[in-house]
Amino acid sequence: MGCESSKLASCCWTGESGPIHEAQNPDEEKNEVSDSPAFCEFTFEQLRIATSAFAVENIVSEHGEKAPNVVYKGKLENQRPVAVKRFNRSAWPDSRQFLEEARAVGQLRNNRLANLLGCCCEGDERLLVAEFMPKETLAKHLFHWDTQPMKWAMRLRVALYIAQALEYCTGKGRALYHDLNAYRILFGEDGDPRLSCFGLMKNSRDGKSYSTNLAFTPPEYLRTGRITPESVIFSFGTLLLDLISGKHIPPSHALDLIKDRNLEMLTDSCLEGQLSTDDGTELVRIASRCLQYEPRERPNLKSLVTALYPLQKESEVPSHVLMGISCDGETMPLSPLGEACLKTDLTAIHEILEALGYKDDGGAATELSFQMWTDQMLETLNSKKKGDVAFKNKDFSAAIECYTQFIDVGTMASPTVYARRSLSYLMSDMPQEALNDTVQAQVISPVWHIASYLQAASLFTLGRENEAQIALREAAILEEEKNASS
């Protein structure tokens, strides 16, 4: 990294035993204020609907064969987006122990956490429900960025915020965090980094605390198989290395580079011109202290927070600006269908749906080739055809009746039929029934923007303005993604 790295290399390593200098401890209680709802228990059916029957399209992360736990994006009935972690069926055989752990983690509420909102424990099913963070993981922005590398000021902010999150959890009696890494750090709509609450619980009652490469695990864990608060500090040190280097460097290799004063190999070349000598020296020194072989020689979280606080740069700049990502407050251009749903212009919606036909509905597009199956099948298809004729002629009562006959047979699942019946319900002043149909359309086709647009129209009609705006924005995003892919 040119001359900047040379200056950093000459003064960064001061030995393994130097203390971390503490600055004045900032007021952290403000981070405890959160608008997250109280922890609650969900039914499995609620979460099945929220995730569109655990659709593959809604998977946001999954682990390997040793810990096959999958995280899905979902949306509750009140339109709140959530992350739903579904455990392997063999995990947590003791339901009482699972509930106790989940309830304890669910008591935490902090703006530095992606908070746990609830859980589900029915039969063999074990699920956790957390706040959904839509702006990807630290690993994505640090290792696999598309448009711009993460700025130095943002990396320092990540370090501070995650240290604050861990300190808060420790103060609330949850000092153990399992497998802290760049995939456990998420970014909210505002671009602020949050620590995933899922790491506060093991993958299972008897599961391992670490699933990453052994080169990144604390040395005492390799000896005893147990995680301690000091182990979390070691993992935080590996996280600091990630932030400094922009790569996932094994701690032993990084320490060798530091001892040899070879920081050009350690420091991310993308930070050219951003990284000051003093800041780089201090962060490398903090990381080195966290990675001490002996647990007792590592700093505590309070000293980490107070050491990281004065390093912060561009504190007045919002995180989403530093990250170069859009924020929730920014408006998105709406398509004609979006505008019609915003204005609840049902006539315009009808014209668009009629023109669209079934071209977004793969199942319905091929069904006519199976008309000779059975008399029952022929009757079912005739019900849909009659419904389509009634819908086109704006005879919405007849459309509801015919589409209901088609749906009740249950042989074919057509999101377009649900969408058309939903609009027919709106035309018939039955907005709740219309909303129910949009949910069913989403279960069949989770990424279909039409269903989300009609959901917004139904919610606007019901007077649920805030939820309608969320659904409208989600529909616009899905439509934009569809257009981009095509």
Side-chain angles (χ1 to χ4, degrees):
M1 219 185 76
C3 61
E4 196 70 67
S5 287
S6 299
K7 293 178 183 178
L8 184 60
S10 66
C11 58
C12 75
W13 181 250
T14 57
E16 296 186 351
S17 59
I20 290 180
H21 300 294
E22 296 188 8
Q24 183 178 358
N25 198 7
D27 179 15
E28 296 164 7
E29 291 186 0
K30 61 182 180 181
N31 296 328
E32 294 191 34
V33 179
S34 176
D35 60 354
S36 297
F39 180 88
C40 67
E41 294 181 28
F42 294 91
T43 66
F44 183 76
E45 180 63 15
Q46 284 177 306
L47 300 185
R48 190 192 69 83
I49 293 174
T51 58
S52 298
F54 301 100
V56 173
E57 296 92 333
N58 283 335
I59 293 177
V60 293
S61 72
E62 54 187 323
H63 297 284
E65 295 180 1
K66 293 182 179 179
N69 309 314
V70 185
V71 179
Y72 298 84
K73 176 185 177 181
K75 187 169 62 175
L76 300 179
E77 187 178 3
N78 64 2
Q79 301 300 299
R80 176 182 284 275
V82 291
V84 179
K85 181 172 183 176
R86 189 180 189 184
F87 286 93
N88 175 28
R89 286 185 177 273
S90 63
W92 297 100
D94 188 335
S95 60
R96 183 170 59 180
Q97 187 180 35
F98 174 79
L99 285 172
E100 288 176 356
E101 282 283 298
R103 287 167 182 161
V105 175
Q107 298 308 306
L108 304 177
R109 285 293 179 270
N110 192 276
N111 289 335
R112 300 290 184 251
L113 291 173
N115 294 288
L116 190 66
L117 303 179
C119 71
C120 172
C121 187
E122 289 186 13
D124 293 333
E125 294 289 349
R126 306 286 184 266
L127 302 101
L128 298 176
V129 182
E131 294 175 310
F132 180 69
M133 300 290 113
K135 301 302 183 181
E136 302 284 357
T137 66
L138 176 62
K140 165 69 174 176
H141 292 290
L142 203 55
F143 308 141
H144 312 293
W145 51 272
D146 296 321
T147 56
Q148 68 173 41
M150 183 177 288
K151 294 182 178 179
W152 178 240
M154 192 65 209
R155 300 186 195 204
L156 291 171
R157 187 172 299 180
V158 170
L160 174 63
Y161 281 21
I162 300 310
Q164 288 176 333
L166 292 170
E167 185 184 24
Y168 167 79
C169 294
T170 298
K172 296 296 184 179
R174 304 295 301 190
L176 302 185
Y177 193 93
H178 304 273
D179 207 8
L180 176 63
N181 59 63
Y183 293 92
R184 296 284 199 179
I185 297 168
L186 314 167
F187 292 87
E189 191 70 57
D190 56 3
D192 279 346
R194 305 278 197 98
L195 181 64
S196 170
C197 63
F198 293 152
L200 293 166
M201 292 181 64
K202 291 183 180 181
N203 283 329
S204 67
R205 182 191 63 177
D206 300 317
K208 293 183 177 181
S209 295
Y210 290 86
S211 59
T212 54
N213 189 295
L214 293 179
F216 298 91
T217 58
E220 66 275 9
Y221 180 79
L222 296 177
R223 296 194 304 266
T224 67
R226 296 181 61 186
I227 181 176
T228 66
E230 292 76 21
S231 305
V232 179
I233 301 298
F234 185 94
S235 295
F236 184 77
T238 67
L239 186 65
L240 294 182
L241 292 181
D242 292 346
L243 294 168
I244 294 167
S245 67
K247 299 181 287 291
H248 204 34
I249 300 178
S252 59
H253 179 53
L255 289 174
D256 287 341
L257 292 175
I258 294 170
K259 289 177 181 177
D260 294 340
R261 299 185 178 182
N262 187 6
L263 290 199
E264 288 190 13
M265 294 292 294
L266 178 62
T267 308
D268 192 343
S269 60
C270 295
L271 295 174
E272 185 98 40
Q274 299 181 46
L275 175 58
S276 74
T277 302
D278 291 342
D279 292 345
T281 299
E282 183 63 10
L283 200 63
V284 168
R285 198 168 69 87
I286 293 171
S288 301
R289 297 287 291 117
C290 292
L291 296 171
Q292 291 298 296
Y293 184 84
E294 292 296 336
R296 64 177 180 275
E297 295 181 3
R298 300 169 197 158
N300 59 38
L301 285 165
K302 179 179 175 61
S303 67
L304 285 175
V305 169
T306 52
L308 290 166
Y309 187 71
L311 298 181
Q312 301 306 301
K313 307 296 179 185
E314 302 184 56
S315 301
E316 72 287 352
V317 181
S319 293
H320 77 273
V321 175
L322 288 177
M323 295 282 288
I325 57 179
S326 61
C327 192
D328 190 31
E330 300 177 15
T331 58
M332 292 188 65
L334 292 175
S335 64
L337 179 57
E339 290 287 353
C341 291
L342 175 63
K343 299 172 183 177
T344 57
D345 184 344
L346 302 184
T347 300
I349 296 173
H350 176 264
E351 292 176 358
I352 293 171
L353 289 187
E354 179 61 30
L356 177 67
Y358 286 84
K359 71 178 183 180
D360 283 349
D361 193 353
T366 60
E367 65 187 28
L368 294 181
S369 62
F370 299 96
Q371 283 189 16
M372 303 306 295
W373 277 2
T374 63
D375 291 341
Q376 182 184 15
M377 179 59 67
L378 185 60
E379 184 179 348
T380 300
L381 293 173
N382 284 336
S383 297
K384 187 189 80 66
K385 287 181 179 179
K386 290 178 182 178
D388 290 341
V389 172
F391 185 82
K392 181 177 182 179
N393 294 331
K394 300 183 181 180
D395 185 354
F396 297 111
S397 295
I400 291 171
E401 181 180 352
C402 293
Y403 285 144
T404 300
Q405 290 174 3
F406 172 80
I407 290 170
D408 286 347
V409 172
T411 306
M412 301 174 188
S414 168
T416 301
V417 167
Y418 276 109
R420 290 183 166 214
R421 191 175 72 168
S422 173
L423 181 62
S424 300
Y425 277 133
L426 284 176
M427 288 288 195
S428 305
D429 196 25
M430 302 170 70
Q432 184 58 54
E433 288 79 0
L435 179 61
N436 295 341
D437 271 1
T438 65
V439 172
Q440 291 303 317
Q442 285 181 322
V443 169
I444 300 169
S445 185
V447 296
W448 194 39
H449 61 286
I450 304 293
S452 293
Y453 273 132
L454 287 172
Q455 189 171 82
S458 302
L459 290 165
F460 278 127
T461 306
L462 286 165
R464 293 157 65 174
E465 179 79 20
N466 292 338
E467 297 171 35
Q469 290 289 352
I470 295 172
L472 191 68
R473 177 175 174 78
E474 181 175 288
I477 292 172
L478 290 173
E479 185 175 23
E480 185 179 52
E481 291 175 350
K482 177 179 181 292
N483 293 337
S485 64
S486 61

